[in-house]
Amino acid sequence: MRARTLLTAATVVTAGAATLALVVNPSANAETRRPPVTTVEAGAAGPASLAAAAADRVAGSGYDALAKGPDESFVRRNVVAGSGGFQYVTYDRTYRGLPVIGGDAVVVTDAAGRVRDTLAADHGRVTLRSLTPKVTAAQATGAARAELDSVTTVNQPQLVAYALTATPHLAWEVLAAGTSEGRPSRLHVYVDAQDGRVLSTKDDVVFEAARGYYNGSIQIDTTGGQLRDPNRPGLLCGNNGTHQVYNNGGTGAGTDLQTACVDAYYAVEREWDMLRNWLGRNGIDGSGRAFPLYVGLNAVNAYWDGTAGTFGHNQAGNQQVANLDVVGHEMGHAIDQYTGSGAAAEAGLGEATGDIFGALTEWYANNPNDPPDFTVGEEVNLVGTGPIRYMYRPSTNGDPDCYSSAIPGTEVHKAAGPLNHWFYLVAEGTNPTDGQPTSPTCNGTTVSGIGLQKAGQVFLAAMNMKTSGWTHAKYRAATLRAVVNLFGANSAECATVKAAWNAVSVPVQSGEPACSVAPQNDFSLSLNPTAGSVRQGSTVTTAVATQVTSGAAQTVTLAASGLPAGVTASFSPSSVTAGGSSTLTLTASAAATTGSKTITVTGTGTGVSHTATYTLTVTTTQPGNTFSVSLAPASATVAPGSSTTATVATATTGGSAQPVALSVSGAPTGVTATVAPSSVTSGGSATLTVAVASTATPGSYTLTVTGTGTSSTQAATFALTVSGGPPPGCGGVAAWSATRSYVPGDRASYNGHLWNSTWYSTGAEPGAPGSWAVWTDAGTC
């Protein structure tokens, strides 16, 4: 909701500074329609404090979606925690001190206090020719009264900048309470302050017909037996006429109001626990509070009026409306009001939100007296026709399964169909395996569900991003942003959320995050060298290298097959993590069969395997021209930007000396390895030089030096470790890297100066003319 009448202890964010200010509108009464402003204590280091500080910096700078004109400021309204450590910081916009209707914004931060997203209501620069109204407050009150059939109270009108139209207007906002068509109403009326036209209206009261039922033997928290929750502030249940709070008890009859209060009270306790344990939310309002419940309304109805839930009876008059999914539905309207900027605008979104939270509550409670499902009010025989709505197939009850251009003009309960259908597909998919019904799609595709809890987390995270005037299309974009934040762009969850929107005909939106299913974990396998010879009674080695080709690194177990008789194989180590190397040693016995044979080396991972071949030639023990190759040292650790050397020694092991050509392989990207001289006579030596560039990736690598003679080939391996990270910069701050992604709050050193990151960048050189918007100079080191 957009309560503009009273702002207390609000942080006013202006360009260049964040100031804690007390802003009081003396013309406002205490009947605010907004969540209470969250005050973040100075010096606090919790997630809410980190989020508020980071969001205030972004709001003050006016970056991205938070751009603002010179006469505009942001007022921080609330900080709400969500699942995955994310925080959602909501702002109201002001223009020359006036609240801007349609100028709200949300900043999303992660657990470390880093800004991950910014959203704002569609909004051009606000410009008003005059702040002096031609229409008086009394005239605006009269226009608001005319919108209701009867009026009980009207608040003091407040001037606002109305920005929900293409051209902003100076307007009066009036809150009138009374009745409309026989139903309670708390109507926000926006009256043009220059010509008296009613620009728009918005009603806090949300209706839903339902019935009560018994939850059986249950446990509830009371205060001395009174239905006033000691652990969930604000939750109580009483009589609608007197507001007297009931005690725990009742006759158990469907018409008994005391029993109905126990049922409704129990439902909200379960909804509170579901929000905390499944979705990471603190209370119904997100700030640790719930709301009163009242039973005994003499009507076939239940509704949320912006301050409390009120529940009547079914048409037969034999049961009160206090069952789990209906009570969860009405409190779903409260959650809708207390997320982001308040309830969304397009028809069906609010009612579907209530249905979604009703289903979440029913499934969390898992009460055997009301087995959880995805029908709404399934035990309410309201007019003798069974459930009110079917989430898995809305058309069962004549509601639309798919979104179309007709939805914005459709009656709000029927228009809930597409969003209800989307949520079911995300949670259960088209062909559930848990006994729930199949669900057809509008495009004939198959969708795999991700589970109810994850679906709820994604939906609530999107709700926390709401700005004014949201539509199904904006919910699509926001849920995709949310699922990327929570589970990653390459997750199955992301693919399901996108597929479900396609399945209910909500089209792709410009700039929405892309989703792709993570590739299967895979690797490659290679040998170096791929051939060699060994005398009977001797050994020969080759390096076995693996690399990750897709997905994540996995354990690869190594084996050799096709060995000649009398030859054995051993690996050191026998298994590696993809990306690592091993050494294969082939040992020929004195009686090993001579000749050439192809050996197959197999690497086996999780559900995938790869092979490489090695041609081994076994020779007799009769003296011949043979040689060996060795390295000293055989390993080294080198920092990026540095180099090392090793001696390559050859020796004549049989017969006469022979020319040996030397080469080196296996160097990773960023590492250069050379042998000089490139050819020696066996018994001579050369130098291996390994140079590691500053851009080389830290890790362990195996280099292979191969000597090729006239009668055989021999090899030796060098274990190279590239130490981590770029060299430290000055002042104890790491040097700026052109390949690192920086976020607001990061620091780097460069050209003898310290630099503070003020925005998101990769490759933006500190001090360069084009980098002023992302780096600020903090002085010399």
Side-chain angles (χ1 to χ4, degrees):
M1 300 307 300
R2 293 187 299 273
R4 309 285 173 164
T5 58
L6 183 62
L7 299 174
T8 59
T11 297
V12 180
V13 183
T14 59
T19 306
L20 188 65
L22 179 65
V23 183
V24 178
N25 180 352
S27 67
N29 63 21
E31 196 175 34
T32 180
R33 291 148 281 137
R34 278 254 171 134
V37 172
T38 295
T39 302
V40 179
E41 298 295 336
S49 177
L50 291 173
D56 285 352
R57 287 195 297 270
V58 174
S61 300
Y63 281 118
D64 199 18
L66 301 178
K68 59 184 187 298
D71 294 322
E72 298 173 67
S73 297
F74 282 108
V75 179
R76 175 164 30 91
R77 185 191 339 142
N78 206 4
V79 181
V80 174
S83 57
F86 286 90
Q87 302 280 328
Y88 301 86
V89 188
T90 54
Y91 290 89
D92 292 323
R93 192 187 300 258
T94 65
Y95 170 77
R96 297 172 64 181
L98 295 181
V100 177
I101 306 301
D104 45 282
V106 178
V107 177
V108 184
T109 69
D110 60 21
R114 294 173 297 197
V115 173
R116 297 288 292 271
D117 212 341
T118 58
L119 303 95
D122 291 339
H123 167 73
R125 177 172 294 183
V126 175
T127 302
L128 297 176
R129 291 186 178 181
S130 172
L131 299 188
T132 302
K134 295 179 181 179
V135 174
T136 66
Q139 290 171 321
T141 299
R145 285 179 171 273
E147 295 294 317
L148 295 176
D149 296 335
S150 66
V151 178
T152 54
T153 60
V154 179
N155 79 329
Q156 180 68 31
Q158 180 186 11
L159 280 175
V160 299
Y162 185 87
L164 291 174
T165 51
T167 302
H169 298 263
L170 180 69
W172 291 104
E173 180 182 17
V174 188
L175 174 61
T179 62
S180 176
E181 297 181 352
R183 296 177 173 180
S185 177
R186 282 169 47 88
L187 194 67
H188 300 260
V189 183
Y190 297 97
V191 180
D192 192 304
Q194 304 301 348
D195 59 21
R197 289 179 299 135
V198 174
L199 296 171
S200 69
T201 63
K202 181 177 180 180
D203 205 326
D204 285 345
V205 179
V206 183
F207 285 88
E208 178 59 52
R211 72 160 194 173
Y213 89 110
Y214 306 110
N215 289 299
S217 297
I218 53 177
Q219 296 291 321
I220 57 176
D221 298 329
T222 65
T223 301
Q226 190 179 55
L227 297 181
R228 190 184 299 272
D229 199 305
N231 303 314
R232 301 169 180 83
L235 176 57
L236 57 85
C237 191
N239 182 277
N240 181 55
T242 64
H243 283 197
Q244 178 181 357
V245 178
Y246 283 114
N247 289 328
N248 185 20
T251 65
T255 56
D256 181 64
L257 298 185
Q258 188 176 6
T259 300
C261 247
V262 170
D263 284 339
Y265 185 89
Y266 162 77
V268 177
E269 287 190 337
R270 298 290 71 75
E271 187 160 20
W272 176 295
D273 292 351
M274 178 275 297
L275 290 169
R276 177 191 62 207
N277 298 332
W278 279 8
L279 309 186
R281 184 176 175 87
N282 182 19
I284 304 298
D285 72 348
S287 299
R289 293 196 62 82
F291 300 93
L293 311 172
Y294 299 110
V295 301
L297 174 70
N298 187 22
V300 183
N301 259 322
Y303 62 84
W304 160 256
D305 69 2
T307 61
T310 303
F311 304 91
H313 55 78
N314 66 351
Q315 183 167 290
N318 58 4
Q319 287 181 312
Q320 299 299 306
V321 179
N323 57 309
L324 276 165
D325 63 357
V326 170
V327 175
H329 173 106
E330 300 308 334
M331 290 301 102
H333 287 307
I335 297 166
D336 199 15
Q337 178 175 328
Y338 283 82
T339 47
S341 68
E346 194 166 69
L349 294 176
E351 291 306 315
T353 295
D355 291 347
I356 288 167
F357 281 99
L360 285 162
T361 300
E362 191 173 87
W363 279 87
Y364 182 84
N366 197 24
N367 190 302
N369 294 283
D370 180 12
D373 50 39
F374 289 93
T375 56
V376 181
E378 65 278 0
E379 298 188 15
V380 179
N381 192 11
L382 190 65
V383 291
T385 57
I388 300 168
R389 284 183 291 281
Y390 297 79
M391 298 179 73
Y392 57 88
R393 190 193 295 240
S395 57
T396 304
N397 220 25
D399 300 335
D401 291 333
C402 313
Y403 184 82
S404 70
S405 59
I407 289 295
T410 302
E411 191 275 329
V412 294
H413 297 89
K414 296 185 72 65
L419 184 57
N420 275 342
H421 191 191
W422 169 84
F423 185 80
Y424 184 84
L425 290 171
V426 173
E428 294 284 340
T430 48
N431 298 292
T433 59
D434 58 355
Q436 294 303 307
T438 58
S439 181
T441 58
C442 307
N443 59 356
T445 59
T446 298
V447 178
S448 299
I450 63 175
L452 181 66
Q453 185 173 344
K454 287 182 177 179
Q457 290 171 351
V458 170
F459 185 65
L460 181 58
M463 292 177 68
N464 282 323
M465 302 180 195
K466 284 201 311 279
T467 58
S468 298
W470 262 30
T471 60
H472 286 75
K474 290 186 176 182
Y475 252 123
R476 172 182 173 125
T479 54
L480 287 169
R481 285 174 160 178
V483 76
V484 168
N485 283 341
L486 291 171
F487 302 106
N490 291 329
S491 64
E493 290 84 355
C494 189
T496 289
V497 169
K498 184 181 284 282
W501 282 119
N502 295 337
V504 299
S505 302
V506 175
V508 174
Q509 300 302 298
S510 175
E512 72 176 34
C515 296
S516 59
V517 177
Q520 178 187 10
N521 297 337
D522 206 352
F523 64 94
S524 64
L525 181 73
S526 61
L527 302 177
N528 190 19
T530 58
S533 63
V534 60
R535 287 186 298 112
Q536 291 170 324
S538 299
T539 63
V540 68
T541 62
T542 185
V544 183
T546 63
Q547 290 291 333
V548 176
T549 58
S550 65
Q554 59 183 301
T555 299
V556 179
T557 302
L558 301 170
S561 59
L563 297 167
V567 176
T568 59
S570 64
F571 293 89
S572 180
S574 60
S575 63
V576 297
T577 300
S581 299
S582 177
T583 298
L584 167 61
T585 299
L586 298 170
T587 302
S589 70
T593 301
T594 59
S596 297
K597 190 169 185 181
T598 299
I599 297 170
T600 299
V601 176
T602 302
T604 303
T606 304
V608 63
S609 64
H610 293 283
T611 61
T613 58
Y614 181 87
T615 301
L616 177 67
T617 301
V618 180
T619 62
T620 67
T621 57
Q622 296 176 352
N625 297 335
T626 61
F627 67 96
S628 65
V629 177
S630 63
L631 293 170
S635 64
T637 298
V638 184
S642 301
S643 62
T644 191
T645 61
T647 298
V648 182
T650 65
T652 301
T653 57
S656 303
Q658 61 183 297
V660 177
L662 298 171
S663 62
V664 59
S665 59
T669 301
V671 175
T672 301
T674 58
V675 179
S678 60
S679 180
V680 297
T681 299
S682 58
S685 63
T687 300
L688 168 67
T689 300
V690 180
V692 179
S694 61
T695 57
T697 302
S700 297
Y701 306 95
T702 299
L703 308 184
T704 302
V705 176
T706 302
T708 303
T710 56
S711 60
S712 65
T713 298
Q714 302 296 325
T717 59
F718 183 84
L720 171 66
T721 299
V722 179
S723 58
C730 60
V733 177
W736 172 76
S737 170
T739 60
R740 175 181 167 184
S741 297
Y742 291 92
V743 301
D746 284 346
R747 303 188 73 202
S749 61
Y750 189 66
N751 286 341
H753 282 241
L754 296 176
W755 299 86
N756 294 325
S757 173
T758 59
W759 198 236
Y760 302 87
S761 67
T762 301
E765 179 185 359
S771 299
W772 63 270
V774 295
W775 290 105
T776 60
D777 191 346
T780 58
C781 296

